[in-house]
C-alpha cells in the first residue's frame, strides 16, 4: 500500500452537494465557531490540572506542490466539476477551488496544542474511546474523556473545513497513551478533504460510480493514518515526548482581521479558563494568558465595540473582588456560583444586563437576559458536578443553548426544566438583592425591560438623556383624563375623570343645583338635553376624598417569574400618603387595556392584604422612599403593562 488520497465510493447511494448540514451549522459566524471548537477540543484533551492547556495559531506559506498527494487532490476536484456540470453554481465554486490549488503557494494555518494527551486511538481501529477516529472520520460522533467535556456532539470538527478555501486539513498527533490508558508514544498523520461527490474514476462507463464526497490521505485502502508525525509548517517540529495535536488548514480562508476575530471569540467564550490559568493561547506569537489578559481586555484596538461590555464585564466579574458579590445558587442537581457586578452611571456602557452562563470546563454557553433596567453584569459558573453533566447532555451542536426537548423521558424533562427555572429565578433574586444593598437611589432604566415593557406608566418628567429628575417639590393638579377600557369593548367603561380631594366645601355653581341629563339628544350626534330634576350638595366639615392618580413618578416593572405571574414594581414615592392602592392593567397590541387581578402583594417585604383584587390596598408611602411592590397576578407570561398608584 502507498500513501495517497482515497475517496470512498458511494455505491450509487447518496450524492453529497455543497450545502451539507455538518457545515451549515457554523457558517453564520465561521471564525467564532472555529475558535470555540478548536479550543474546546484542546481543553477536553488536557493532560493534567498541573499545567495549562496551550494552543498556538500560526500562519505559514506552503508551496502547493508540497501538499501531500497534490496531483491526486486536483484530479478529484476536476471530477467533482465534471459530475456536477449541470449545476453552474457548483461548477463556479469548484473551478475557483481548482484555481487556488493551481497557485504556486498558499497561506495555511497551523493550530497546535500542548500539555494535552494527543488524539488517543491513533494506533488502532478499535472504535470505543477512539478520539482519533471520532475527529477524523466521525460524523455526529464524539469520544470525550469526560462527560463534562466542553464539546460533545461530534460536529465541531467541521468548522475547520470552513476555514479552508479547498475544504482540506491535515492532522498530526503524538498521543501519550492508548485507548486503554496504557502509557506510550503513539503517532499518526492523515489528511481529510471534505469535498462534494465526484466521479470515482475517469472511465467511460455511463454508469460509473461516484464518491461519498469526503476523502482521506492515508496509508492503505482502510484509510488508516500514516505511522509517523509530519509537519507541513517547515518552521515547526513537535519534539519527542511533546504530546498534543497539530492541525494544518490548507489555503486558510482568512481576512484582514482574522486574528481579532479569534481573540474576541477566545475572550468571550473562555475568559474563566484564562483568568484561572487553565488556558494559554498564542496567535502569531501574541500570547494571551493569566498574566497578559488584562492588557488585551482593555485594548480597544483589539476588542470589538460590540463585544466590549461582555469581555470587560467577564474579566471584572472574575477579578474585581471589592465590587463583585458572590452567591451560591442551589439546585437538586448541585450548586453553582453567581458573580454580580453592579455598575455606576458612569460605567453604564459596560453593563451587559445579562448573566453569562459558564459550564465546566469553563466554557461560555449562553447569556441569560436580566432586563434592561438592571445596570449590572453577572456570571454563573456551573462546576464539575451532576448539574454540569445534565446540561451538557442537552446542549445543541453549537454549544450555545440548553434544549430540554432533547430529553425523551417526560418526567425527567419536567424535572430539568424546573431546575433551569429555579436557576433563572435565583439569579434574578440575587441580582435584585445585590442592587438593593446600600442603594438609596432608583434604578435608572436604560430602555424597556426585556420581560415587561414599562408602557405608559405615570406622568414622568425626564431629562433628555433619559435619567429621572430629582424630586424638588410636588404640586397637586388635576390629572389628565385617564380612561379604563374594558377588553374587547368599543367604549370607555366610565368617564375616567380623576378628581381632587375637597375639604368641607362644595362647588359654587350659580344656583347650587346640579342638573341631570335625561339621556336623549335633540338631534342625532347632539349633546344631552338638561333634565328637570336637580340635587344639591350639602355643606359639611368632612373630607370628601375622590380618586387621584400619583403623578410625577417613573415605575420600573420586572418579571420575576413569568410562569407564576410574579412582578416586581419599583418607584420612588414623591410625597407622603397614607391611603394608596395599586392598579395594574394589561395592554394588548392596540394599546387597549384590561384590568389584571392581583392575588398577592408585598410592600418592601411586608404583606399587604386587600379585599379588592383589582384596586389592591391600602398601603402607605413616604416622600423619597424607595417602594418595592412584589406582586402575584392572574396573568402569566410576558405582557405589556400600565401601572397606576391611586391615592384616596
Amino acid at each position: 500500500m502507498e500513501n495517497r488520497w482515497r475517496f470512498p465510493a458511494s455505491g450509487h447511494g447518496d450524492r453529497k452537494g455543497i450545502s451539507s448540514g455538518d457545515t451549515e451549522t457554523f457558517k453564520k459566524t465561521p471564525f467564532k465557531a472555529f475558535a470555540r471548537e478548536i479550543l474546546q477540543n484542546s481543553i477536553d484533551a488536557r493532560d493534567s490540572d498541573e499545567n495549562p492547556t496551550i494552543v498556538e495559531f500560526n500562519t505559514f506559506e506552503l508551496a502547493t506542490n508540497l501538499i501531500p498527494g497534490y496531483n491526486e487532490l486536483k484530479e478529484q476536484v476536476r471530477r467533482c466539476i465534471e459530475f456536477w456540470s449541470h449545476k453552474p453554481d457548483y461548477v463556479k465554486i469548484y473551478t475557483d477551488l481548482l484555481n487556488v490549488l493551481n497557485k504556486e503557494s498558499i497561506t495555511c494555518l497551523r493550530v497546535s496544542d500542548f500539555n494535552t494527551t494527543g488524539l488517543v486511538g491513533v494506533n488502532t481501529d478499535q472504535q470505543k474511546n477512539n478520539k482519533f477516529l471520532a475527529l477524523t472520520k466521525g460524523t455526529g460522533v464524539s469520544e470525550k474523556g469526560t462527560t463534562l467535556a466542553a464539546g460533545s456532539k461530534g460536529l465541531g470538527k467541521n468548522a475547520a473545513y470552513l476555514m479552508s478555501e479547498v475544504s482540506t486539513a491535515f492532522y498530526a498527533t503524538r498521543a501519550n497513551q492508548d485507548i486503554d490508558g496504557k502509557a506510550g508514544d503513539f503517532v499518526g498523520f492523515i489528511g481529510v478533504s471534505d469535498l462534494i461527490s465526484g466521479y470515482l474514476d475517469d472511465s467511460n462507463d455511463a454508469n460509473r460510480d461516484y464518491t461519498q464526497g469526503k476523502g482521506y490521505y492515508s496509508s492503505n485502502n482502510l484509510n488508516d493514518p500514516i505511522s509517523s508525525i509530519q509537519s507541513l509548517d517547515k518552521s515547526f517540529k513537535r519534539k519527542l515526548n511533546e504530546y498534543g495535536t497539530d492541525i494544518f488548514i490548507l489555503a486558510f480562508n482568512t481576512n484582514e482581521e482574522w486574528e481579532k476575530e479569534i481573540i474576541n471569540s477566545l475572550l468571550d467564550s473562555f475568559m474563566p479558563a484564562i483568568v484561572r490559568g487553565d488556558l494559554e493561547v498564542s496567535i502569531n506569537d501574541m500570547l494571551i494568558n493569566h498574566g497578559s489578559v488584562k492588557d488585551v481586555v482593555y485594548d480597544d484596538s483589539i476588542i470589538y465595540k460590540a463585544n466590549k461590555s461582555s469581555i470587560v464585564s467577564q474579566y471584572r466579574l472574575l477579578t474585581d473582588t471589592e465590587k463583585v458579590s458572590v452567591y451560591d445558587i442551589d439546585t437538586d442537581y448541585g450548586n453553582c456560583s453567581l458573580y454580580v457586578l453592579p455598575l455606576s452611571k458612569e460605567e453604564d456602557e459596560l453593563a451587559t444586563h445579562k448573566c453569562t452562563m459558564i459550564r465546566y470546563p469553563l466554557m461560555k454557553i449562553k447569556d441569560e437576559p436580566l432586563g434592561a433596567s438592571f445596570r449590572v453584569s453577572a456570571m454563573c459558573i456551573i462546576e464539575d458536578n451532576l448539574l454540569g453533566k445534565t446540561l451538557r447532555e442537552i446542549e445543541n451542536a453549537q454549544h450555545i443553548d440548553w434544549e430540554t426537548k432533547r430529553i425523551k423521558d417526560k418526567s425527567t424533562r419536567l424535572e430539568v426544566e424546573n431546575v433551569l427555572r429555579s436557576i433563572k429565578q435565583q439569579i434574578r433574586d440575587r441580582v435584585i438583592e445585590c442592587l438593593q444593598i446600600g442603594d438609596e437611589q432608583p434604578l435608572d432604566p436604560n430602555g424597556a425591560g426585556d420581560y415587561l415593557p414599562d408602557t405608559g406608566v405615570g406622568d414622568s418628567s425626564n431629562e433628555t438623556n433619559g435619567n429621572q429628575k430629582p424630586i424638588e417639590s410636588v404640586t397637586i393638579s388635576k390629572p389628565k383624563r385617564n380612561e379604563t377600557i374594558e377588553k374587547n369593548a368599543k367604549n370607555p367603561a366610565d368617564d375616567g375623570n380623576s378628581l381632587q380631594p375637597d375639604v368641607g366645601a362644595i362647588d359654587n355653581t350659580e344656583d347650587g343645583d346640579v342638573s341631570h341629563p335625561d339621556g336623549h339628544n335633540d338631534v342625532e350626534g347632539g349633546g344631552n338635553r338638561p333634565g328637570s330634576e336637580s340635587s344639591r350638595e350639602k355643606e359639611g366639615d368632612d373630607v370628601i376624598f375622590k380618586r387621584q392618580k400619583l403623578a410625577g413618578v417613573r415605575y420600573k416593572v420586572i418579571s420575576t417569574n413569568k410562569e407564576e405571574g410574579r412582578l416586581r414594581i419599583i418607584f420612588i414615592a414623591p410625597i407622603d400618603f397614607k391611603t394608596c392602592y395599586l392598579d395594574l392593567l394589561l395592554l394588548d397590541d392596540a394599546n387597549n387595556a384590561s384590568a389584571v387581578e392581583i392575588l398577592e402583594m408585598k410592600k418592601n417585604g411586608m404583606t399587604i392584604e386587600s379585599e379588592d383584587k383589582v384596586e389592591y390596598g391600602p398601603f402607605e408611602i413616604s416622600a423619597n422612599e424607595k417602594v418595592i411592590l412584589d406582586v402575584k397576578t392572574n396573568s402569566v407570561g410576558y405582557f405589556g403593562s400600565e401601572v397606576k398608584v391611586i391615592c384616596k
Side-chain angles (χ1 to χ4, degrees), residues 191-366:
V192 184
S193 189
D194 191 31
L195 304 181
I196 58 178
S197 291
Y199 284 119
L200 191 62
D201 52 44
D202 291 328
S203 69
N204 294 322
D205 185 354
N207 295 318
R208 58 178 163 160
D209 202 358
Y210 44 88
T211 69
Q212 298 175 18
K214 187 171 287 186
Y216 305 91
Y217 184 78
S218 57
S219 63
N220 54 39
N221 288 337
L222 298 177
N223 287 321
D224 289 332
I226 299 161
S227 298
S228 64
I229 188 164
Q230 302 180 26
S231 175
L232 301 186
D233 181 359
K234 298 308 176 183
S235 66
F236 170 79
K237 183 177 181 180
R238 188 170 287 272
K239 300 174 184 177
L240 189 65
N241 296 327
E242 193 174 57
Y243 299 103
T245 301
D246 309 312
I247 303 175
F248 305 94
I249 297 176
L250 296 189
F252 181 45
N253 190 11
T254 183
N255 62 36
E256 292 182 357
E257 295 199 336
W258 74 269
E259 293 165 302
K260 284 187 183 180
E261 294 195 39
I262 296 290
I263 293 171
N264 278 260
S265 178
L266 160 68
L267 297 179
D268 188 48
S269 299
F270 298 97
M271 183 68 77
I274 297 170
V275 172
R276 289 187 182 183
D278 293 339
L279 176 65
E280 296 184 2
V281 180
S282 68
I283 303 171
N284 278 343
D285 300 324
M286 178 181 179
L287 179 63
I288 301 175
N289 61 12
H290 174 77
S292 65
V293 64
K294 180 178 180 180
D295 292 336
V296 181
V297 164
Y298 289 102
D299 189 339
D300 290 342
S301 67
I302 296 176
I303 305 303
Y304 292 127
K305 186 176 181 180
N307 298 333
K308 183 175 180 179
S309 63
S310 175
I311 290 174
V312 173
S313 290
Q314 285 193 55
Y315 177 76
R316 290 186 60 184
L317 282 161
L318 295 164
T319 60
D320 193 343
T321 56
E322 291 186 3
K323 293 187 177 181
V324 173
S325 298
V326 184
Y327 302 88
D328 282 333
I329 302 297
D330 187 22
T331 78
D332 293 337
Y333 284 69
N335 292 356
C336 46
S337 300
L338 175 67
Y339 301 78
V340 182
L341 174 64
L343 294 159
S344 64
K345 291 182 179 180
E346 292 72 23
E347 298 176 308
D348 184 67
E349 63 177 10
L350 296 179
T352 63
H353 316 288
K354 299 174 183 178
C355 180
T356 300
M357 306 300 292
I358 306 288
R359 179 178 65 78
Y360 187 86
L362 305 181
M363 181 176 76
K364 174 181 174 178
I365 303 299
K366 61 185 292 188

Side-chain angles (χ1 to χ4, degrees), residues 23 114 160 168 177 193 291 298 308 323 328 370 427 503 524 527 594 625:
T23 55
F114 305 89
T168 303
Q177 57 187 279
S193 189
Y298 289 102
K308 183 175 180 179
K323 293 187 177 181
D328 282 333
L370 296 172
I427 288 173
V503 181
E524 183 178 356
S594 59
E625 173 192 18

